[in-house]
Structures are given as C-alpha cells and as structure tokens.
Amino acid sequence: MTRWTGSLRVRLLLGTLAALALALMLAGVVLGGLFRDHVMRQFETTLTQQLDQLTARLAFDAAGQPQIDPQALSDPRWQRPFSGLYWQLDRVSADGQGRSGVLRSRSLWDTELALAADALADGGIHRHEGRGPQDAPVLMLERTVRASDTPDAQWRLIVAGDLLETRQAIDRFRGVLFLSLLMLLGLLALAALAQVLVGLAPLRAMQRALDAVREGRAQRLQGHFPSEMQPLINDFNQVLEANAVVVARARTHAGNLAHALKTPLAVLAQAAHMGAADLPALVKAQVAVSQRHIDAHLSRSRVAASVRQPGQRTPVAPALAGLLRVMQRVHAERALAFDLAPVDDTLAFAGEEQDLQEMVGNLLDNACLWARSTVRVGVAPEDGLLVISVDDDGPGISAEQRGAVLARGARLDESAPGSGLGLAIVADLARLYGGDIALENSALGGLGVRLSLPRSV
C-alpha cells in the first residue's frame, strides 16, 4: 500500500488545481468545437443563400445557352477579382465529356473551380472543401439544374467561399478562449488556495490545542471548532478523560496496595526483630493476607482494562448453578439449604464470566459464613439492569454498620475467618462495570444483598 506523505494543504491544492485544469481544458475543447460548428453552419447557410440567388438568376436563351446577368447579383464581391466569393457554371454531358467554366464570376479572374465528378440529383446540394484561386482553401456548394426547353442538357452551378478568414476568426476565438480560461484557472487557483487555507485553519487550531495538551498546559482540547469537527473533538476529549480516570485509578490502586501491604510487612518485621517463636506460622498468615490483597487489586485492574470491551455476554443461570454446587461442597459440614428461584435462560450479564463468578461467589461465601440454615438466591431484570439478590437467615448487619463493611479490610467480627475484602471487592468490581451493591434487611431475618449489574440484551 502506498503511504501518502507531505503536506495535506499541498495535496489538496494540487488535487484541486488538477481537477480545475482538466475541467477547463475539456470546457475549452467543447466550446471551441461548438463555436467552429456554429461559424461553419453560418458560412454554409450564407453560401446556400448565394447559390439560391444564382439559381434564380440563371436563364437560358432560345439556343439553350445559359445566361446570368452580373448586374442582377447584389453582392459586389462577385465583380472584384479574388474577393473570396466565387461562382461558376459547368456543363455536364451524358458521356462525361462536360465543359467546365462555361460561365463564371469576374472574381475568379482567369482561374476555374475544380470539382471531382459525382452523381448529383436535380436540385440537390453537395458540399466540398478544396482549393480556390491563389490556392486558398474554399468551401464549395454545387447544384445540378436543367433548362426547361432542353431537358437533356444538365448544368452544374457552383458557389465557393474563401475559408481563410473564417478559419482565422475561429483561431482568434480559440486564442481568446484559451487566454480567458487560463485567467479563469488562475483566479480559481487563488480561490482554491484561499479555500484550502480557510478550510484547514480549524486543523491548525486543533494542532495547537493538542500541543497544549501534550505540553501539560491543558487537560482537554479547548477552542472554537466547526460543527463538522466538534464530534471528533468531543470523542478525543472523552478519550483524554477516560485516560485520566485510568491513570487516577492506577495511582489509587497502587496507593491502596502499598497501604494494605504495610501492615503485614510491619508485623513480619517486628516478629523477626523480636525473634518470635511462632514466626513460621506468623509469616504464613501474613503472606496469605498479602496475597489476598494483591489478588484483589489485580482483579480490579483486569476488570478496569476489559470492562469497556464490546460483545461480552455471560448467561446467568449456568453461572449461578455452578457456584451453588461449589458452595454446597465447600460448606457441606454446615448442611445449609440453598434456595435458587427460577432463572430466565435469556438473562445475561454484559461482562466476563470470571468477574460474575468472583462477585456472586464472594456474596454466596459471605452468606454461607453467617447463615444459620438457609441461603436464598434470586435474579430479576430491572430498568435495563440485572439484579442478583443473596439473602441469608444469619444475624444480619445493622443499618449503621452497613457502610463500614464495604470498606476494604473492614471486619465486624474479628473472630470470623476472612480478610474483610469480600464485600469490598464485590463493590469495586460492580462499580467498575457501572453497577452497584446495596445492603438491606432480608426477609429471612439476616442480611440481604442486592447486586446490580449491566444486562446484556
């Protein structure tokens, strides 16, 4: 593939000039041809009128000889030698031994018009181009006439007009037309240059705005742009804003991860300094806590990178059925009852299956840890979203404490297993997908969790 390089301004200008030059050249050819055809038709019409006049003035005497009174002809050029307008009368015999120049105009002087022999119907007109007096180019019209008294005698009446002046007029017109079109091309070139400069001015303004963003003097493209460019500017600003959000989120994740790892590292450093007897067990426990923090942040980073990818669709029914089978095996010793309401097979999550399993799996695991005997799961569409509900019959959480349990590492009961990251991870992942999580009282008496996620249609 050829790669176009160079200035867009130059390419646009050259392309416009090439198109204009081609259009004007074609216009010149067409106009020149039309003018020539018009002039030649007018010239031929004039000669036809002269031929008609001569035909009307042609008479025959008692002996059958033709006569044309020169004084009866209105055009004085017939009498002036080599004037450019000529007539001649030839006799045509049946045996082909005719006689040329029986009568002719004074303008021919001592020359004759020469025509090739051809068959011509009576009254019909033939058109010829040839050479006349002084070898000048002429247009000749001929007509065959007969005398009423001697019908066997056939005569050829010829009128000729000098083409030199007509061709010179055509050439002069073409020269003036060429110069006019050349001047028009120059004016159009200036207009095209002005149009290119004015039309590309917004691109230069956008370049300056981009320079301001690149140099850190602005956070988005700013300025006044044409309505045709504004959608592009808006899309670019959205990309810049999304990039800023990604950078801010990465900084937040890095800070949160550093803060989360600070405590385990401090515990390990203190234990190593004091020479604690249970150092191996302590190291194992703190490494496990650190690993959970790292996994949580990596999960959020992965979701943030893929959440805006189109075409993601995960059916909900099989994902929930698989998670419930896992929970039944993991918490088999507690003999919990799992109640899954019927799920429409057409309901699907607009995201990756792994993320759905991680969010719902954390909710189910948390419900199983606190439930006394029953965990209930339901799925329903609501306002274009997918609402997954998880209820348990455990002790529940008071309204004052519900906000705290969604914070990373917050645990209301330190004696229970876990790191306090479960609900916080679910909340973070849901919000990355544009969803949300809500805690409320369950009809079973414990905690009810409502997870809202984008629904795939």
Side-chain angles (χ1 to χ4, degrees):
M1 180 181 293
T2 302
R3 181 180 179 184
W4 286 85
T5 59
S7 171
L8 175 62
R9 184 186 312 168
V10 173
R11 293 204 301 272
L12 286 176
L13 185 58
L14 291 179
T16 303
L17 291 179
L20 289 174
L22 179 60
L24 292 178
M25 181 179 68
L26 293 176
V29 172
V30 172
L31 291 176
L34 291 176
F35 180 78
R36 179 186 181 280
D37 293 342
H38 173 73
V39 170
M40 292 303 297
R41 281 196 301 269
Q42 290 293 102
F43 188 74
E44 187 172 342
T45 300
T46 302
L47 286 182
T48 302
Q49 294 172 352
Q50 298 285 6
L51 181 61
D52 293 339
Q53 182 185 22
L54 284 169
T55 304
R57 298 291 185 269
L58 178 61
F60 294 90
D61 59 15
Q65 295 302 310
Q67 294 178 349
I68 295 179
D69 185 5
Q71 302 302 321
L73 302 177
S74 60
D75 197 322
R77 289 179 295 174
W78 300 121
Q79 306 300 322
R80 189 171 68 248
F82 310 125
S83 63
L85 184 61
Y86 316 102
W87 67 266
Q88 179 176 300
L89 183 65
D90 296 346
R91 181 181 178 88
V92 181
S93 61
D95 58 2
Q97 300 297 320
R99 177 185 172 189
S100 64
V102 175
L103 294 177
R104 57 184 175 172
S105 64
R106 180 177 174 79
S107 57
L108 278 174
W109 199 243
D110 58 352
T111 61
E112 294 183 0
L113 298 174
L115 283 179
D118 57 351
L120 186 65
D122 292 346
I125 297 178
H126 272 193
R127 179 182 185 277
H128 304 275
E129 287 191 16
R131 313 304 295 187
Q134 298 179 325
D135 202 31
V138 293
L139 175 64
M140 294 177 285
L141 301 182
E142 62 167 323
R143 171 184 287 159
T144 299
V145 296
R146 296 176 185 271
S148 57
D149 297 335
T150 56
D152 293 336
Q154 187 177 12
W155 304 87
R156 174 186 289 181
L157 185 59
I158 305 167
V159 172
D162 195 338
L163 286 175
L164 184 60
E165 292 186 0
T166 302
R167 289 179 176 176
Q168 289 175 348
I170 293 173
D171 291 339
R172 285 195 300 271
F173 174 80
R174 286 177 172 172
V176 173
L177 178 63
F178 174 77
L179 292 178
S180 301
L181 292 179
L182 191 61
M183 294 176 60
L184 179 60
L185 178 61
L187 294 176
L188 291 177
L190 293 177
L193 177 61
Q195 183 179 11
V196 169
L197 293 177
V198 174
L200 295 182
L203 293 181
R204 293 192 295 272
M206 185 173 69
Q207 182 181 10
R208 291 192 294 269
L210 286 172
D211 291 339
V213 172
R214 185 178 63 253
E215 295 169 2
R217 293 183 282 109
Q219 299 299 320
R220 61 199 314 270
L221 296 183
Q222 298 175 345
H224 299 286
F225 300 96
S227 58
E228 293 81 3
M229 291 182 60
Q230 196 59 48
L232 174 63
I233 300 300
N234 295 337
D235 291 343
F236 197 89
N237 283 333
Q238 290 177 1
V239 172
L240 292 177
E241 292 169 1
N243 184 67
V245 170
V246 170
V247 173
R249 185 180 295 138
R251 290 174 178 172
T252 301
H253 286 173
N256 291 340
L257 182 59
H259 180 75
L261 295 179
K262 183 186 297 183
T263 299
L265 291 176
V267 171
L268 291 176
Q270 182 67 20
H273 178 70
M274 299 298 295
D278 58 346
L279 182 60
L282 184 61
V283 169
K284 183 178 180 181
Q286 295 303 316
V287 168
V289 171
S290 300
Q291 186 62 49
R292 284 193 294 271
H293 281 293
I294 292 173
D295 291 342
H297 283 278
L298 289 178
S299 176
R300 284 193 292 272
S301 299
R302 178 181 54 79
V303 173
S306 63
V307 68
R308 296 184 181 273
Q309 294 181 359
Q312 296 177 338
R313 189 177 189 276
T314 301
V316 176
L320 289 181
L323 287 172
L324 289 177
R325 288 193 296 268
V326 172
M327 292 300 159
Q328 287 174 342
R329 289 195 296 267
V330 172
H331 300 279
E333 74 282 355
R334 301 194 59 204
L336 296 174
F338 293 91
D339 181 11
L340 175 61
V343 181
D344 189 347
D345 291 337
T346 62
L347 294 180
F349 163 57
E352 292 189 355
E353 181 179 3
Q354 181 179 350
D355 298 329
L356 179 64
Q357 291 176 345
E358 184 165 0
M359 289 184 282
V360 180
N362 272 294
L363 296 182
L364 289 175
D365 188 54
N366 184 75
C368 291
L369 288 175
W370 296 100
R372 296 187 177 96
S373 61
T374 304
V375 175
R376 180 181 297 167
V377 182
V379 183
E382 184 178 315
D383 296 333
L385 296 175
L386 193 68
V387 180
I388 302 175
S389 60
V390 179
D391 296 84
D392 64 71
D393 59 352
I397 301 175
S398 65
E400 294 78 11
Q401 295 175 319
R402 288 171 188 168
V405 298
L406 295 178
R408 285 180 293 272
R411 299 173 58 195
L412 300 182
D413 187 355
E414 295 294 335
S415 64
S419 61
L421 291 172
L423 292 179
I425 291 175
V426 175
D428 285 346
L429 295 182
R431 288 162 186 161
L432 285 173
Y433 272 105
D436 201 359
I437 185 173
L439 306 182
E440 57 187 35
N441 292 326
S442 171
L444 297 179
L447 178 66
V449 182
R450 301 293 178 266
L451 177 62
S452 301
L453 296 173
R455 178 187 173 191
S456 176
V457 179

